[in-house]
Amino acid sequence: MRRHLYLVAGFVSLGLAVIGALLPVMPTTVFVILAAYCFTRSSPAMERRLLEHPKFGPHIMRWRERGAISRAGKKAATLAFAISIALTFALTHMPWPLVTLAAAVIVGGWIWARPEG
């Protein structure tokens, strides 16, 4: 039963990664790494496909080996945070923009504190 839950979670994460590749305000790599984690526990074949993927495989391996995020990934996350903050300020009333700003500062700070790979 647990294996099936991890398999479903892996495919949901992969679906979210695809959406993230299309939308500038949603991350992609985070969901691919989560999918790889889930597939490690449910489908070695799917995990292998992700690890061998030319675009995502290196990111997953850097994360697993050193907890590293590439400089390009950090810049992309920062850009996504900036767009999210701008949209929140433009489309919502206080205090929601401050919540988005606080989340971006906390998560962005954590991202930039990770080693670069």
Side-chain angles (χ1 to χ4, degrees):
M1 179 68 167
R2 180 178 284 173
R3 182 175 180 265
H4 294 296
L5 290 175
Y6 275 117
L7 188 62
V8 169
F11 280 112
V12 168
S13 297
L14 208 50
L16 291 172
V18 169
I19 293 169
L22 302 173
L23 298 176
V25 296
M26 193 166 160
T28 300
T29 306
V30 172
F31 289 114
V32 173
I33 291 170
L34 180 59
Y37 173 84
C38 292
F39 289 143
T40 298
R41 284 147 182 74
S42 62
S43 175
M46 284 301 297
E47 177 195 22
R48 186 173 47 259
R49 286 185 68 182
L50 283 179
L51 293 176
E52 292 172 354
H53 190 276
K55 176 92 171 150
F56 300 117
H59 294 288
I60 296 167
M61 294 307 297
R62 278 193 296 268
W63 178 256
R64 285 184 174 180
E65 293 169 357
R66 300 183 315 276
I69 300 172
S70 69
R71 168 98 25 158
K74 291 177 180 185
K75 288 179 180 179
T78 302
L79 178 63
F81 287 140
I83 292 169
S84 297
I85 291 166
L87 287 172
T88 306
F89 269 98
L91 301 174
T92 64
H93 300 289
M94 287 294 178
W96 298 114
L98 298 178
V99 172
T100 304
L101 181 61
V105 167
I106 292 167
V107 176
W110 181 82
I111 288 171
W112 280 94
R114 304 302 313 154
E116 288 188 12

